Amino acid sequence: MEKDTQVVKEPREHSFKEALLNKNPDLNWEYNQLNNKDKGTMACLNSEAIPLSWEDKMRIYQPWESSLIVKMYGKKLTYSYLKNNLVGLWKPIEPLILIDLGWDYYIAKFNKHENTDKVLQKGPRFVTESFLTIKKWKPNLAPEETTYRIL
């Protein structure tokens, strides 16, 4: 006599990478609506999101306001070589915190707006043979989905 056997598959948990790559395109909606901010709790964009108040989001974003997003084109450089060259070229008035995001994207984190303004206005935009695109930080950057047009 054959037994009826059922194979029960447990739901597979998503990896951290899968969770990051499965981004909702409207994640920056609240951040972009600075003039239309709601003082209450923002609505969840999906059932897995944690609702945060506008004040909580601004508190989380505040330390990053003086940061820059840097994209490298051309010759690949090691992290330490790039950081040392940027410090030498930009000459910031505070220590540079450089965060590697992958896909040749970095965050140059500053605490003072003077450094951000100096880099955006004066550059330089080249490190050895590599061209850098530099723009102000915005939340929820997805390097693998971001595109730049070079004219």
Side-chain angles (χ1 to χ4, degrees), residues 65-81:
E65 286 179 348
S66 295
S67 298
L68 298 169
I69 297 172
V70 179
K71 166 77 171 142
M72 265 183 40
Y73 293 95
K75 185 177 178 183
K76 306 289 184 210
L77 305 174
T78 65
Y79 171 86
S80 58
Y81 184 80

Side-chain angles (χ1 to χ4, degrees), residues 5-151:
T5 58
Q6 278 187 323
V7 177
V8 178
K9 291 185 179 180
E10 293 186 25
R12 184 175 83 85
E13 298 221 5
H14 293 289
S15 70
F16 182 70
K17 181 179 178 182
E18 289 171 331
L20 288 176
L21 293 177
N22 188 18
K23 295 184 76 127
N24 188 320
D26 293 331
L27 284 176
N28 286 339
W29 181 82
E30 295 103 353
Y31 184 79
N32 293 331
Q33 301 297 321
L34 289 174
N35 295 330
N36 300 327
K37 59 184 171 184
D38 178 12
K39 296 292 182 190
T41 301
M42 295 294 182
C44 287
L45 296 173
N46 63 41
S47 61
E48 296 175 10
I50 298 172
L52 294 174
S53 68
W54 182 260
E55 290 80 12
D56 288 338
K57 286 185 179 189
M58 291 299 105
R59 183 180 45 80
I60 292 168
Y61 296 159
Q62 192 277 327
W64 299 93
E65 286 179 348
S66 295
S67 298
L68 298 169
I69 297 172
V70 179
K71 166 77 171 142
M72 265 183 40
Y73 293 95
K75 185 177 178 183
K76 306 289 184 210
L77 305 174
T78 65
Y79 171 86
S80 58
Y81 184 80
L82 175 63
K83 182 176 179 182
N84 290 338
N85 273 277
L86 291 178
V87 168
L89 294 168
W90 293 347
K91 296 177 181 33
I93 57 175
E94 64 182 320
L96 169 65
I97 299 171
L98 190 66
I99 302 166
D100 186 350
L101 300 176
W103 287 277
D104 297 323
Y105 279 88
Y106 297 86
I107 291 182
K109 187 171 185 318
F110 297 113
N111 292 318
K112 299 182 179 178
H113 288 288
E114 295 88 30
N115 290 314
T116 304
D117 295 339
K118 179 180 168 185
V119 170
L120 287 172
Q121 293 171 6
K122 298 180 182 175
R125 305 281 183 174
F126 285 91
V127 174
T128 61
E129 298 172 11
S130 298
F131 175 70
L132 304 175
T133 58
I134 303 168
K135 65 180 185 176
K136 286 191 169 213
W137 174 86
K138 285 193 175 189
N140 303 315
L141 172 73
E144 70 283 358
E145 297 171 2
T146 305
T147 58
Y148 280 94
R149 290 184 328 160
I150 300 177
L151 304 173

